[in-house]
Amino acid sequence: MKIFVAFLFVHLIAGILCSEATKPKNALHPEILVESYIDMLRALRLYHLNDFDEAVKQAVIDKCKKNGGPKAFDDAKESLLSLQNSIDSLINDTVNQVQLVGSESWNAQEQIPRLCDTYMTVLNQTKPALNSVRPCLDEAERAAANIMYNMRFVAGDFFCGNNGSNLISFYTARGFECIANLPRRRCSVQMPPPDNTVFTDGVRIAGAPWSYVSSHPSLNDCRSIRTLKICTVERLSGCEQPEPANLMNSVFDAAEKASGCENILNAEASSAA
């Protein structure tokens, strides 16, 4: 599964879907939401250049200078570092705020809009950071960046728009507790086999949250997103209330449209008919 799937807002529940942890079914647990929310913020930090070996670092520097001039790499690095520092500060503030309020006094109608406002603020801050990387990219890579940002924004706006009303609905319908308590089950469909991806210059470029392939998204990417939607909704259909499954189905629909996958999958279905 490529990075198109990895950065969807379903990160908010992905960790719980894969977790063996259990919580009482008849109580709301804001700490589950907050922990997942912090993971979402961390996902927006993009890559650290220090996470890669020297050959990759040099490839990044060379490509930036080639496409964007002698200052392109330094400008991109400075912008990304500023974004990462801002996110780290917000994570610390969120932890302190939750500790100050306390789980017993935590009110979803008050706190979720605040969390959503912070998340969307950070998401908007990623745009200039991504723009700072654009001089280092070729045309196809810039197209991938645009699609990635659109998917992030549409999915984030779905849950956090209107003062976080959809996220509040998911939370108050005990969606997080339901996920933590649901038994694992086999999905009715299987993930398609991965593409044989060839990365630009033989490396994955650091400092940008996407992989470089010739088509963005590929048919296989779209099939993976559709499969993840089906499996997620099937899993959530075991919840006592319908809101968790309905909301996740809707956010996947929005992501498919934002990525162009809806048209790609419709065209495949038409040709097969």
Side-chain angles (χ1 to χ4, degrees):
M1 189 191 317
K2 288 201 185 68
I3 204 74
F4 277 97
V5 176
F7 275 93
L8 289 175
F9 201 81
V10 293
H11 260 300
L12 195 60
I13 68 165
I16 307 171
L17 280 169
C18 298
S19 174
E20 299 291 347
T22 59
K23 294 286 183 181
K25 292 184 179 180
N26 296 319
L28 290 171
H29 293 271
E31 67 273 15
I32 305 177
L33 166 62
V34 174
E35 288 171 6
S36 300
Y37 168 80
I38 290 174
D39 287 340
M40 280 292 298
L41 284 179
R42 290 194 177 111
L44 293 178
R45 295 177 77 254
L46 314 185
Y47 291 136
H48 269 302
L49 194 59
N50 291 335
D51 294 339
F52 299 83
D53 61 30
E54 291 302 320
V56 174
K57 292 180 185 179
Q58 191 59 52
V60 174
I61 295 171
D62 293 343
K63 184 165 188 176
C64 287
K65 289 182 177 179
K66 177 183 177 181
N67 294 341
K71 292 187 61 182
F73 173 76
D74 290 336
D75 290 344
K77 183 178 179 180
E78 181 178 349
S79 180
L80 291 172
L81 182 61
S82 176
L83 173 66
Q84 291 163 352
N85 289 338
S86 177
I87 291 174
D88 288 342
S89 177
L90 286 170
I91 290 173
N92 290 333
D93 290 344
T94 300
V95 172
N96 292 336
Q97 178 186 347
V98 172
Q99 290 176 342
L100 182 65
V101 173
S103 296
E104 294 181 358
S105 302
W106 207 85
N107 184 293
Q109 280 70 25
E110 293 180 2
Q111 299 301 325
I112 285 180
R114 295 179 183 176
L115 295 179
C116 274
D117 182 65
T118 298
Y119 178 80
M120 295 306 292
T121 297
V122 174
L123 187 56
N124 283 323
Q125 289 175 349
T126 65
K127 187 66 172 179
L130 292 178
N131 287 339
S132 73
V133 180
R134 288 176 66 85
C136 303
L137 309 179
D138 59 32
E139 185 176 352
E141 294 162 354
R142 291 173 185 175
N146 288 335
I147 293 173
M148 175 57 59
Y149 183 81
N150 289 341
M151 289 181 68
R152 283 181 170 186
F153 192 89
V154 166
D157 185 63
F158 175 86
F159 277 106
C160 282
N162 193 24
N163 290 321
S165 59
N166 281 335
L167 184 54
I168 291 173
S169 295
F170 189 92
Y171 174 78
T172 55
R174 292 184 168 83
F176 293 99
E177 287 72 26
C178 172
I179 295 168
N181 285 280
L182 282 174
R184 292 180 179 273
R185 55 180 292 184
R186 182 180 296 275
C187 183
S188 63
V189 293
Q190 292 184 338
M191 277 288 176
D195 287 330
N196 294 321
T197 301
V198 178
F199 295 109
T200 299
D201 296 333
V203 299
R204 178 183 303 220
I205 302 300
W210 57 85
S211 302
Y212 300 160
V213 292
S214 58
S215 176
H216 299 279
S218 69
L219 176 58
N220 212 53
D221 289 326
C222 296
R223 287 172 175 168
S224 295
I225 293 174
R226 178 64 59 84
T227 301
L228 185 57
K229 176 175 79 170
I230 293 171
C231 293
T232 300
V233 173
E234 284 184 1
R235 178 90 186 270
L236 293 177
S237 65
C239 299
E240 293 181 2
Q241 300 186 52
E243 284 87 349
N246 291 340
L247 288 169
M248 292 309 300
N249 187 70
S250 295
V251 75
F252 271 106
D253 286 345
E256 285 186 359
K257 290 181 180 180
S259 65
C261 281
E262 182 181 56
N263 292 335
I264 292 173
L265 292 171
N266 286 343
E268 180 193 26
S270 297
S271 64

